[in-house]
Amino acid sequence: MHDSSRTARATLIGASAILLWSMLALLTTGAQGIPPFQLLGLTFGIASVTSLLYLALRGPQALAKLWQRPAAWLLGVGGLFGFHFFYFVALGRAPAVEASLIVYLWPLLIVLFSALLPGVRLRWFHIAGALLGLSGATLLLTNGGRVGFDSRFLGGYLAALGAAVTWAVYSVANRRFGDVPSEAVSGFCAGTALLGVACHVATEEWVQPQGLQWLSILALGLGPVGAAFFLWDYGTKHGSLQTLGALSYAGPLLSTLLLVAFGQAQATWALGAACILIIGGALLASKELL
């Protein structure tokens, strides 16, 4: 297989994670009432247990892939837990719309940070595509309205920026750990689950999940909080980071379309305009790969 074909295949695998993440909003509505860090611990716990069982069934050689150098563990657990930690802090200290807008700088930051990697060329259409995607995401998240940033919520805004930078740095730095197999993400999920439980015990009261909540937690742990991170790991290590960054703006678009399809949101002009901007931006950023 040619290098370009391998890159395209890895990019498509990474893009599959974006499809799974688009289900987050819909599935999270079914888990409403569960404290954030409790939900983090439960979903990442399900992801780690199921993936570790899979590795165990494949034999000792598969399990041995969990033994990685400390730097890989620091990046993996730091990226997965760090992003969610800052994101939850941001939502707790700033309005959701403004916090989400700042957090969604991460795809653009991935495109920009990728220029720091050896052998990676950042072209004008990569930046332009990411900016179009950011414009579309802004329309979606604000529903075409205006956004007002209030200095009273500065702590929340900084936490949201911390989440964006953390995920962008993790995604780009992951390229330097191409020798670490994606199976190791099982261990990173376990570490994230333990830290989530620790934060839950320190800051929250346990809420006993009920029927629909358990189903949503299970679905989250298997998909958007499970398989998605394995797919993203492979894509960021072997695919086109610039294309993945621009494609990531399809996440909020697909998420909104799912909410509309299930009667949880309404179709608006902003949704139509966002479709054009995000799809156009993704195609523009993928120009070289296509």
Side-chain angles (χ1 to χ4, degrees):
M1 187 182 290
H2 296 295
D3 286 344
S4 59
S5 298
R6 289 195 189 96
T7 301
R9 178 176 175 274
T11 304
L12 286 173
I13 290 172
S16 300
I18 300 166
L19 289 175
L20 288 173
W21 287 332
S22 70
M23 301 177 189
L24 268 171
L26 184 62
L27 291 174
T28 304
T29 58
Q32 278 184 342
I34 305 299
F37 284 112
Q38 179 184 337
L39 186 62
L40 182 70
L42 287 172
T43 51
F44 272 98
I46 290 169
S48 62
V49 169
T50 52
S51 57
L52 287 171
L53 284 173
Y54 172 71
L55 292 181
L57 290 173
R58 288 176 57 190
Q61 286 186 330
L63 283 171
K65 293 180 179 179
L66 295 172
W67 299 102
Q68 300 297 329
R69 56 191 185 275
W73 278 87
L74 182 62
L75 179 67
V77 177
L80 296 181
F81 177 75
F83 169 78
H84 290 89
F85 175 82
F86 283 124
Y87 184 51
F88 292 155
V89 170
L91 290 181
R93 298 188 180 182
V97 171
E98 286 88 339
S100 297
L101 274 176
I102 296 172
V103 169
Y104 256 97
L105 287 172
W106 67 260
L108 176 61
L109 292 178
I110 286 177
V111 173
L112 298 177
F113 290 172
S114 69
L116 300 174
L117 293 171
V120 174
R121 291 181 63 197
L122 186 60
R123 305 286 295 277
W124 69 268
F125 49 82
H126 294 140
I127 298 173
L131 287 173
L132 282 174
L134 178 60
S135 301
T138 301
L139 272 179
L140 272 181
L141 294 170
T142 63
N143 198 25
R146 298 180 63 184
V147 181
F149 289 96
D150 191 324
S151 60
R152 291 176 301 167
F153 305 119
L154 180 61
Y157 300 152
L158 289 175
L161 183 60
V165 171
T166 297
W167 193 248
V169 168
Y170 162 73
S171 299
V172 174
N174 204 31
R175 189 60 151 254
R176 305 301 295 268
F177 291 81
D179 60 313
V180 177
S182 294
E183 286 86 345
V185 175
S186 298
F188 305 156
C189 286
T192 302
L194 291 174
L195 289 173
V197 169
C199 287
H200 166 66
V201 171
T203 63
E204 300 171 342
E205 293 290 330
W206 173 265
V207 174
Q208 181 60 43
Q210 302 303 317
L212 178 60
Q213 289 174 323
W214 273 124
L215 286 175
S216 298
I217 290 168
L218 179 62
L220 283 166
L222 293 176
V225 185
F229 292 111
F230 292 85
L231 296 168
W232 187 252
D233 178 81
Y234 188 86
T236 52
K237 283 175 178 170
H238 308 290
S240 167
L241 285 168
Q242 296 96 334
T243 303
L244 283 173
L247 286 174
S248 294
Y249 282 115
L253 171 62
L254 294 171
S255 178
T256 304
L257 291 173
L258 279 172
L259 290 172
V260 169
F262 283 85
Q264 300 292 320
Q266 290 185 333
T268 63
W269 70 266
L271 176 59
C275 279
I276 296 171
L277 287 169
I278 291 172
I279 293 171
L283 288 173
L284 181 60
S286 305
K287 175 178 174 289
E288 199 170 43
L289 196 65
L290 293 173

